[in-house]
Amino acid sequence: MTDDKVYPASKPPVAVNGGTTANPTFPATKAQLYSANRPAYRPPAPRRRTHSRGCCCRCCCWTIFVIILLIILVAAASAVVYLIYRPQRPSFTVSSLNVSSLNLTSAAHLATAISLSVVARNPNKNVGFSYDVADITVYRVSPGDDDVVIGKGSIASFVHGKKNTTLLKSTVGSPPGDLDELSAGKLKGDLKAKRGVAVKIVLDTKVTVKMGAVKTPKSGIRVTCEGIRAVAPTGKKATTAVTTAAKCKVDLRFKVWKFTF
């Protein structure tokens, strides 16, 4: 009978906290090396919420509110002024247009001499107008064609009082420069026609409106008068244009109150 021999392990097991653990494996694996050197994971601290977005929203809301409030106040003030003064447009009428000269002295040069009288009426009891110098442009009008400038002039500045009627006079001369060949040819045919030349008069200027203590900045005003027929004179005697069908349109806009009257 033979005895069984017992061979002890090459190294005793390592005791940890009073117990025994299995022998470590050698060499150490990559996972064991990385685990030993890796620091413990700590979750990031939660970020504190800032109130900048809320402040921006409040600022935008207040800005919009102030703008809307200003618009309402301006509209209310405009309505009050309108109800108190009841402003109306001034009116203009062509009273006479006498042609002393309207002929082509060369192939493209036009000689013009026109005496123009315009009546301006202010129907308002509490509203006055103050006009700058007005530029006058006289056009030859033809349906379907571009208007051709046949005269230039001006009217001196004037004050249009309350419930006032003013007679404005001006002399219209030749336009600057020569006409192009096509325009000159069409105008030449109109000058020979018995019906004469269809004419349009345009006045451009700036006006200041005074309503009680309220005085607006200067605003543009345009007066367009159509329905006029002029005949070129054949001798030294001037001809009188037909103005019975003339109608004048006034385009006036205030930049302060943002409404047209």
Side-chain angles (χ1 to χ4, degrees), residues 76-244:
S78 303
V80 171
V81 171
Y82 180 82
L83 292 174
I84 293 174
Y85 295 102
R86 297 286 182 175
Q88 300 179 40
R89 291 189 184 100
S91 63
F92 294 81
T93 306
V94 178
S95 61
S96 67
L97 191 150
N98 298 320
V99 181
S100 301
S101 175
L102 187 62
N103 63 301
L104 291 165
T105 57
S106 64
H109 184 72
L110 179 65
T112 304
I114 298 174
S115 297
L116 175 66
S117 296
V118 177
V119 176
R121 294 183 176 87
N122 179 9
N124 297 281
K125 296 180 180 180
N126 301 307
V127 180
F129 301 93
S130 179
Y131 297 90
D132 287 353
V133 175
D135 294 326
I136 302 174
T137 306
V138 180
Y139 295 91
R140 170 259 184 191
V141 181
S142 179
D145 294 332
D146 293 333
D147 297 341
V148 180
V149 178
I150 61 174
K152 282 280 191 178
S154 63
I155 294 177
S157 60
F158 68 99
V159 176
H160 211 180
K162 306 168 186 176
K163 280 290 184 178
N164 178 266
T165 300
T166 302
L167 178 63
L168 309 172
K169 293 186 177 183
S170 176
T171 300
V172 179
S174 301
D178 294 337
L179 303 178
D180 60 83
E181 185 178 352
L182 181 61
S183 298
K186 292 180 178 180
L187 179 60
K188 188 175 181 180
D190 290 344
L191 293 174
K192 292 180 179 180
K194 292 183 179 180
R195 294 187 62 190
V197 182
V199 172
K200 177 175 70 175
I201 301 171
V202 177
L203 286 76
D204 285 304
T205 185
K206 290 189 177 295
V207 61
T208 301
V209 183
K210 187 175 181 181
M211 295 177 285
V214 178
K215 191 175 182 181
T216 68
K218 291 182 180 181
S219 302
I221 179 172
R222 168 170 287 188
V223 181
T224 305
C225 300
E226 297 182 281
I228 304 168
R229 284 204 165 268
V231 179
T234 55
K236 294 182 178 180
K237 187 178 179 179
T239 59
T240 301
V242 179
T243 59
T244 52

